[in-house]
């Protein structure tokens, strides 16, 4: 039986270091072409071969958010597909921890958030661009060295930022209600693709961060594209679809969230032009923690 633990060096359970940093496409491509990058694809191809006809299977690993070894669950939900009789799960959105219910990318983000919060002595003030999700609940219950954790959801264009509606804090990321220099860390999980103007949102995030504050973000990313593709816009009469509409799940709306952008490498330029001094993609992959596929995480520093 093929085992990842036979190939990868064991990483201390308290750390999830990136395999590489990519400030641009050339660095990304160089990593993928390197022996470590090629090993990832070869190893995961073998794993998928073993489960080519399994609609559900598990992978043993250490769930840092759960603080224990678990059997991560894989299935065909959230983008799993079949090609030539072979089942191909969406590993980024699955590998669900049975204890925390966090999937692959969410558990990685939870670990990175925890590491960021633990650095330094002063308690941190955090802002999450979400409020009713499992990772927000996990953060409230488990993060230490925190002065305050703020969360919000977007509840529509009819409300000003800062409004509380049925117990939920509403924020429009284009015009946040928070004071300048307020947060040590901003967390954005799969939000920016749903924003009509990412440059304006980056400027607001830069404004509300303290000096040397950080923003950690995931969003669907297309590393073979230099330029992002705008799928939709806001015109005088409302939404204008430039491409066939695409929706992602929304925890506060059964209609889902419209995708406005498919991001390429110019997302880093958007952040730099908003004032961020450091704008980079971290490349993560740690099978012993159940983090499969090449996982890009964006990190921006004020």
């Amino acid at each position: 039986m093929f085992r990842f633990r036979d190939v990868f060096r064991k990483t201390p359970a308290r750390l999830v270091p990136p395999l590489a940093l990519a400030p641009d496409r050339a660095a990304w491509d160089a990593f993928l072409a390197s022996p470590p990058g090629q090993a990832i694809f070869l190893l995961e191809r073998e794993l998928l071969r073993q489960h080519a006809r399994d609609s559900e299977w598990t992978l043993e690993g250490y769930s840092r958010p759960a603080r224990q070894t678990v059997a991560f669950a894989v299935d065909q939900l959230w983008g799993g597909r079949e090609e030539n009789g072979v089942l191909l799960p969406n590993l980024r959105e699955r590998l669900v921890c049975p204890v925390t219910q966090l999937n692959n990318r969410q558990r990685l983000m939870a670990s990175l958030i925890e590491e960021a919060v633990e650095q330094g002595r002063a308690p941190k003030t955090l802002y999450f661009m979400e409020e009713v999700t499992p990772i927000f609940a996990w953060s409230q219950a488990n993060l230490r060295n925190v002065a305050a954790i703020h969360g919000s959801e977007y509840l529509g264009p009819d409300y000003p930022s800062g409004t509380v509606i049925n117990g939920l804090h509403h924020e429009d990321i284009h015009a946040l209600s928070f004071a300048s220099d307020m947060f040590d860390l901003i967390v954005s999980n799969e939000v920016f693709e749903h924003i009509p103007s990412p440059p304006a949102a980056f400027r607001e995030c830069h404004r509300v961060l303290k000096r040397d504050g950080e923003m950690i973000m995931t969003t669907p990313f297309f590393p073979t594209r230099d330029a992002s593709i705008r799928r939709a816009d806001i015109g005088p009469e409302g939404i204008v679809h430039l491409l066939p509409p695409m929706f992602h799940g929304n925890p506060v709306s059964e209609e889902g969230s419209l995708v406005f952008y498919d991001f390429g490498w110019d997302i880093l330029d958007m952040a730099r032009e908003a004032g961020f001094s450091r704008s980079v993609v971290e490349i993560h992959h740690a099978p012993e923690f159940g983090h499969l596929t090449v996982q890009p995480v964006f990190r921006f520093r004020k």
Side-chain angles (χ1 to χ4, degrees):
M1 174 66 70
F2 179 85
R3 299 180 302 177
F4 279 112
R5 67 173 66 94
D6 294 335
V7 182
F8 281 84
R9 177 179 58 84
K10 200 71 175 176
T11 305
R14 61 181 298 274
L15 298 174
V16 186
L19 296 182
L21 302 178
D24 51 40
R25 182 174 176 177
W28 175 280
D29 290 343
F31 172 76
L32 294 187
S34 69
Q38 290 296 299
I40 291 172
F41 291 111
L42 292 173
L43 292 168
E44 292 190 358
R45 185 172 66 181
E46 172 61 18
L47 179 65
L48 292 174
R49 186 195 64 77
Q50 291 181 12
H51 297 284
R53 300 188 182 281
D54 298 332
S55 60
E56 297 182 1
W57 47 278
T58 60
L59 177 73
E60 182 180 300
Y62 185 82
S63 173
R64 174 172 169 174
R67 305 289 197 273
Q68 60 183 281
T69 298
V70 301
F72 297 114
V74 182
D75 52 39
Q76 292 298 108
L77 298 177
W78 296 102
R81 65 191 191 280
E82 181 178 343
E83 290 185 3
N84 300 319
V86 175
L87 295 176
L88 300 174
N90 183 351
L91 294 177
R92 183 173 183 265
E93 298 296 326
R94 303 316 292 153
L95 284 159
V96 177
C97 170
V99 178
T100 63
Q101 298 305 308
L102 299 178
N103 67 19
N104 187 355
R105 63 171 174 81
Q106 292 166 339
R107 287 183 291 102
L108 174 59
M109 283 292 282
S111 298
L112 297 177
I113 293 164
E114 189 169 33
E115 289 173 12
V117 167
E118 289 175 352
Q119 294 175 2
R121 296 183 179 180
K124 304 293 196 302
T125 301
L126 280 61
Y127 170 49
F128 282 75
M129 296 181 186
E130 56 195 298
E131 191 177 11
V132 297
T133 58
I135 191 171
F136 184 73
W138 175 88
S139 298
Q140 286 187 307
N142 291 276
L143 291 181
R144 296 170 291 182
N145 199 28
V146 170
I149 300 178
H150 299 262
S152 72
E153 298 286 349
Y154 178 72
L155 302 176
D158 298 330
Y159 306 105
S161 286
T163 305
V164 177
I165 304 163
N166 296 325
L168 292 180
H169 183 160
H170 163 77
E171 290 288 341
D172 180 346
I173 308 302
H174 300 93
L176 295 169
S177 67
F178 304 115
S180 299
D181 307 309
M182 181 172 175
F183 297 109
D184 298 285
L185 180 66
I186 293 176
V187 177
S188 177
N189 289 305
E190 311 296 287
V191 172
F192 261 61
E193 69 270 27
H194 304 297
I195 296 175
S197 178
F202 275 126
R203 289 193 293 271
E204 275 295 270
C205 291
H206 183 271
R207 178 183 67 81
V208 301
L209 274 174
K210 297 178 182 178
R211 181 179 179 182
D212 294 326
E214 281 194 324
M215 178 175 174
I216 304 177
M217 183 177 90
T218 66
T219 188
F221 179 51
F222 299 84
T224 59
R225 298 175 182 170
D226 291 324
S228 300
I229 295 176
R230 185 195 292 265
R231 303 186 61 91
D233 200 356
I234 303 292
E237 303 300 322
I239 294 175
V240 178
H241 294 289
L242 307 176
L243 290 173
M246 178 183 296
F247 294 86
H248 293 167
N250 185 334
V252 296
S253 173
E254 293 183 356
E255 297 179 358
S257 295
L258 179 67
V259 177
F260 281 86
Y261 274 86
D262 292 339
F263 286 114
W265 283 98
D266 59 349
I267 188 175
L268 298 182
D269 296 326
M270 296 179 195
R272 294 179 185 119
E273 290 167 5
F276 286 95
S277 62
R278 183 175 184 265
S279 181
V280 68
V281 180
E282 294 183 347
I283 300 174
H284 287 270
H285 182 268
E288 61 270 26
F289 294 138
H291 299 318
L292 300 185
T293 78
V294 174
Q295 294 232 41
V297 175
F298 296 87
R299 196 181 290 262
F300 310 111
R301 180 178 291 275
K302 184 170 180 178

